[in-house]
Amino acid sequence: MKRVTIAIPTVSSAQNQYVSPHFGRAPLFTVVEIEEHGFRVTKTIRNEYVDHARGRGHWIIEELAKHGVEAVIVASIGHGAFHHLRSLGIKVYVLPSKEKGLYSLEEAVKMLIENKLSEALEPIEHGEHLHHH
């Protein structure tokens, strides 16, 4: 896989980082560089906008774009954030929903490297936000 910079909304617990269930409300965004022989975490961006009632996704996305992020891996993502990412050319990969617990950062990145994640073509909100069409 060619070098690619991705960002993942994360929450930390002890020494581990897990994929946050909510994009805009994630306290941290972990930036990971994927290269031929694996991946490394290059930086952690604190989400300063977590307490904004509206538009928090907007600000953090602008921040990610500044850091050269080319794709994000999310557990779920709302309409506004999804379209904003896409408008900046940032791809969105969504993890399959998990019965219980959260994906670790490592699991999520490995799934992407192993081509187990497909790019989302529309917003996907799991859980209580399920919209029935």
Side-chain angles (χ1 to χ4, degrees), residues 3-52:
R3 284 177 76 134
V4 57
T5 303
I6 62 169
I8 303 171
T10 45
V11 290
S12 23
S13 159
Q15 292 305 303
N16 298 315
Q17 288 194 304
Y18 295 93
V19 181
S20 165
H22 299 285
F23 182 84
R25 274 180 265 171
L28 301 169
F29 279 77
T30 303
V31 179
V32 172
E33 192 138 298
I34 294 177
E35 33 200 41
E36 272 175 76
H37 305 293
F39 69 94
R40 60 196 177 94
V41 172
T42 54
K43 59 177 78 77
T44 304
I45 301 170
R46 192 165 288 290
N47 186 356
E48 308 286 353
Y49 312 103
V50 95
D51 297 328
H52 290 220

Side-chain angles (χ1 to χ4, degrees), residues 1-6 32-39 70-73 91 93 108-119:
M1 196 166 177
K2 65 170 180 46
R3 284 177 76 134
V4 57
T5 303
I6 62 169
V32 172
E33 192 138 298
I34 294 177
E35 33 200 41
E36 272 175 76
H37 305 293
F39 69 94
E70 299 161 79
V72 295
I73 301 178
K91 296 186 162 103
Y93 293 94
V109 177
K110 286 200 170 125
M111 286 170 82
L112 181 65
I113 293 173
E114 292 165 8
N115 287 319
K116 291 185 179 155
L117 299 180
S118 49
E119 192 183 338

